[in-house]
Amino acid sequence: MQKDTSIKDIYDITIIGGGPVGLFTAYYAGLRGAKTKLIESLEELGGQTLHLYSSKQIKDIPAIPVISGTHLSQQLIQQAMTYQPTICCHETIELLIEANEEHPYIQLVSQKQAHYTKTVILATGNGAFNPRPLPFDYDQGIEGQSLHYFADDLAIFKDKRVAITGGGDSALDWALTLEPIAEEVNLIHRRKRFRGHEASVEALNKSNVHQFTPYIPVEIKNQGSQIKELVINEGRTDNYIHLAIDHLIVAFGFTSSIEALKAWGLDFERNAIAVSYRMETSLAGVFAVGDCVYYPGKTKLIATGFGEAPMAVNSALIYIDPEANTAPLHSNH
Ligand SMILES: Cc1cc2nc3c(=O)[nH]c(=O)nc-3n(C[C@H](O)[C@H](O)[C@H](O)COP(=O)(O)OP(=O)(O)OC[C@H]3O[C@@H](n4cnc5c(N)ncnc54)[C@H](O)[C@@H]3O)c2cc1C
């Protein structure tokens, strides 16, 4: 059978997942000279560390006595970029197709495109993160226009009336960031107290942000892609407020699940991907690291995942070329 080798953009190692372990894996793959790609479902790299506990002080990273989730993520991203891997954000891999006689590369399929690679390292944690959606139906045409689950262009909020829903660090950060830019900022949270960092709550109380607690959003009124009004309800009462706004930012946190991965043909044990001592999964050319794996004695910590990354990269390189040097390469070489 003729092998289809016509595809040009083939990577040595493609890492799925841009959490702390995926980021360090990308760095180490670059250090070993591998042509590397990293794919992350969210718009921002950082995984749990950035999206679930950005302001927590982490105290069990070797040689770093204390570091916040945000700062650790920034450092890991900077280090991961050293060898300029290709980064694809806002893209969830939905299917992995194994290499075969006819198609000699592994295929990773998202809703946007197919990626071709000689090996894969899964660093998928608890599964792809997705923003938790609003709990009621609305016209999908407003998404990305005046309703935002992600936003990186602050200019669109200049002199606009903005509402933010949520009570954690992300919601507070949005409110404080937009207060000097927007005409008006409204922060809506279902509980009386905000869950965010004390310093942020203190800054919020000194700011001009209008706080609505305990309120929940119940309806959006729009004209085309433009939100005109957000209706909010005071918990367990008949009090409704109609807020005239231009933009709504939803910051309800993220959901994740490993169910989709189970269709890829990988062996699972204790609800995680079973790997060998060389971080091999049950699929040829597919390795795994970090929170997504199980082996006897596995501990779900960042430090443990960092240790697994070089093992997976070295195993991937040997898979590509069985003659590859298996001696560890030190970073001063
Ligand atoms: C509240 C809390 C506090 C913690 N504190 C500590 C601590 O102090 N010290 C410590 O060592 N550990 C701590 N942990 C655990 C630590 O965060 C995890 O061990 C670590 O994040 C695992 O990193 P990871 O890269 O394997 O996975 P994750 O951080 O979960 O990252 C996985 C990434 O993969 C992406 N992804 C998944 N599937 C796909 C797909 N199909 N396509 C594209 N992208 C995909 C996800 O969107 C995500 O960004 C804490 C965890 C929590 C929840």
Side-chain angles (χ1 to χ4, degrees):
M1 194 176 296
Q2 183 102 37
K3 280 189 177 182
D4 175 10
T5 50
S6 58
I7 306 150
K8 293 278 180 297
D9 215 8
I10 297 150
Y11 283 76
D12 294 324
I13 298 179
T14 300
I15 298 152
I16 307 180
V21 181
L23 286 167
F24 184 61
T25 307
Y27 166 74
Y28 196 80
L31 177 72
R32 292 297 317 257
K35 184 177 175 187
T36 306
K37 182 185 273 185
L38 186 149
I39 304 169
E40 164 57 45
S41 65
L42 289 182
E43 287 198 351
E44 256 184 304
L45 299 167
Q48 294 178 45
T49 319
L50 185 69
H51 300 294
L52 298 188
Y53 54 98
S54 59
S55 49
K56 178 187 140 151
Q57 300 297 303
I58 306 170
K59 297 180 179 166
D60 51 3
I61 304 297
I64 305 177
V66 178
I67 189 164
S68 71
T70 302
H71 195 190
L72 179 65
S73 304
Q74 288 165 346
Q75 297 283 86
L76 283 165
I77 292 167
Q78 186 186 339
Q79 186 183 37
M81 296 310 150
T82 309
Y83 300 102
Q84 299 174 336
T86 298
I87 304 288
C88 303
C89 280
H90 204 191
E91 189 169 344
T92 301
I93 296 302
E94 295 179 345
L95 190 62
L96 181 153
I97 302 170
E98 286 183 86
N100 56 40
E101 287 265 298
E102 197 182 347
H103 302 287
Y105 307 112
I106 299 168
Q107 207 175 319
L108 300 171
V109 186
S110 73
Q111 286 199 344
K112 290 184 179 170
Q113 58 187 315
H115 303 264
Y116 298 90
T117 184
K118 294 175 187 169
T119 65
V120 175
I121 299 181
L122 302 170
T124 48
N126 299 321
F129 277 127
N130 283 304
R132 203 181 292 279
L134 282 169
F136 55 85
D137 289 336
Y138 55 84
D139 180 348
Q140 294 294 314
I142 59 178
E143 246 184 69
Q145 304 296 318
S146 54
L147 169 69
H148 311 273
Y149 289 101
F150 303 101
D152 47 18
D153 181 11
L154 294 184
I156 63 171
F157 303 111
K158 188 166 166 34
D159 300 329
K160 301 290 183 193
R161 297 160 303 176
V162 182
I164 299 154
T165 58
D169 283 317
S170 169
L172 295 184
D173 283 354
W174 270 116
L176 294 170
T177 305
L178 292 181
E179 191 226 12
I181 299 170
E183 180 189 318
E184 175 188 300
V185 177
N186 303 286
L187 182 58
I188 298 132
H189 181 38
R190 68 194 163 100
R191 296 192 198 285
K192 278 210 161 122
R193 294 161 70 97
F194 290 98
R195 280 182 289 111
H197 200 273
E198 295 89 338
S200 303
V201 176
E202 205 180 315
L204 182 76
N205 290 335
K206 288 184 186 151
S207 75
N208 291 320
V209 172
H210 304 298
Q211 300 178 30
F212 295 91
T213 61
Y215 274 85
I216 53 167
V218 290
E219 190 185 351
I220 290 174
K221 296 186 177 173
N222 62 298
Q223 244 172 34
S225 62
Q226 182 57 58
I227 296 181
K228 291 289 174 190
E229 203 175 88
L230 175 69
V231 185
I232 59 175
N233 170 236
E234 187 178 6
R236 297 202 189 102
T237 72
D238 290 333
N239 291 343
Y240 290 87
I241 298 177
H242 293 242
L243 290 172
I245 59 164
D246 304 302
H247 289 278
L248 172 62
I249 298 174
V250 181
F252 283 155
F254 298 93
T255 60
S256 62
S257 157
I258 61 161
E259 288 312 304
L261 281 187
K262 290 189 174 166
W264 295 6
L266 296 153
D267 281 354
F268 276 74
E269 206 175 331
R270 303 198 188 182
N271 215 27
I273 300 165
V275 290
S276 71
Y277 69 98
R278 293 175 59 182
M279 312 317 293
E280 298 153 312
T281 70
S282 54
L283 299 183
V286 181
F287 305 83
V289 289
D291 272 18
C292 66
V293 305
Y294 175 77
Y295 52 82
K298 167 68 184 174
T299 314
K300 290 190 180 185
L301 283 175
I302 297 165
T304 322
F306 285 169
E308 293 159 3
M311 294 198 288
V313 169
N314 291 342
S315 297
L317 293 177
I318 292 165
Y319 177 84
I320 295 169
D321 174 10
E323 303 296 313
N325 187 356
T326 53
L329 182 70
H330 296 153
S331 52
N332 60 347
H333 283 214

